[in-house]
Amino acid sequence: MRVEIQGLSELQTLFKKLDKDSKCDLITTLLNKTHDLAKKNMAKHHKTGKMEHNLYKKKSGCDTAVVGISDEGMMVDWKGKSINYALFVHFGSQPHFIHPRFKKALRWSKDSNVYHSDYRAKDRVQEKTIFAFAKAVRHPGYKGDPFLYDALDEASSDVNQIFGRFVDGL
């Protein structure tokens, strides 16, 4: 695969002409925009909130910025390795079987049914959780949702506008 970026040398030349404060401001602006868009894009994957909580941004000096998802509480076993499950959300997974690790069966909750314990007492509502069990399940796979890449692409589409604010007068 070959990627060609047109206008990169001109962009690098303009970037070199910027003073240090403008470079830092430009990187910070792009970092914050990418982080905010990633948080917005990943909202549809909100179940426990762990992945959204672990989204971070880090800036080292004026030339390096990172948006990522930390490993804390996100690790799952996969083929004998410990992997951050955000990778599966972002890049997808092939169809596979899921087996219990420490128990005899898998268990998950199905949709809860709300019922009245006494149909005459409308104020006494109880929630009944129904569980499903299986010795193994076949996961159909997932095509993935590259929410970080999408955030970077969206932030990059505004780079001309953002960059233009810093290079006016050069």
Side-chain angles (χ1 to χ4, degrees), residues 12-28:
Q12 288 172 330
T13 303
L14 285 173
F15 193 74
K16 287 177 185 174
K17 289 181 181 180
L18 290 176
D19 61 272
K20 185 177 180 180
D21 290 339
S22 294
K23 287 179 187 178
C24 282
D25 288 346
L26 176 63
I27 295 296
T28 302

Side-chain angles (χ1 to χ4, degrees), residues 52-70:
E52 192 174 351
H53 176 72
N54 284 0
L55 182 69
Y56 70 90
K57 59 184 175 180
K58 181 171 66 172
K59 187 174 149 196
S60 301
C62 291
D63 56 354
T64 304
V66 177
V67 174
I69 299 171
S70 68

